[in-house]
Every structure is written in structure tokens, then in C-alpha cells.
Amino acid sequence: HPYTETFIVEEGQATFTVGADTVVAQAGEIVVAPADVPHAFVNSGPGLLRSVNIHPVAEMQTVWL
């Protein structure tokens, strides 16, 4: 995206890839993907993953790589 995206992990565990970095986040943690940096995440825990993904724009933009 041409804007920063913020991920708030509310429940479970997620593994994020942000550019060349890998981040494992647990419930209560926040991950920020800078603008124009490829990013993705997967549920890497044993149970449910619940997160809030914040796109600070009026209309979300996604480019699937």
C-alpha cells in the first residue's frame, strides 16, 4: 500500500513478513508495515487468530504479489 498499515493482534499468534523481516506477534502486540513495503501474515499459533488491521485511508488499496 502507499500508506502504513498497522496490525493489532487481539488473540492468538501471527507470523508477519514485513519486507525482509519476520516478526512473531502474540495477543496484545502491534506490528507496523511501512508504506510501500511488501507484507503478509499467517496464523502461526495453535488456535484462533483475531486481529485488527488498520488502513488509515478512506478506501483500502491492495496489490497482490
Side-chain angles (χ1 to χ4, degrees):
H1 323 284
Y3 52 83
T4 298
E5 184 174 1
T6 303
F7 302 90
I8 303 168
V9 179
E10 293 186 319
E11 181 179 346
Q13 174 182 294
T15 299
F16 291 85
T17 303
V18 181
D21 297 328
T22 300
V23 178
V24 177
Q26 308 284 336
E29 296 184 313
I30 297 171
V31 175
V32 177
D36 297 316
V37 174
H39 54 277
F41 67 91
V42 297
N43 180 351
S44 56
L48 179 70
L49 170 63
R50 186 174 63 192
S51 66
V52 174
N53 306 344
I54 300 171
H55 294 254
V57 293
E59 185 174 327
M60 186 178 94
Q61 298 175 26
T62 299
V63 175
W64 300 102
L65 302 177

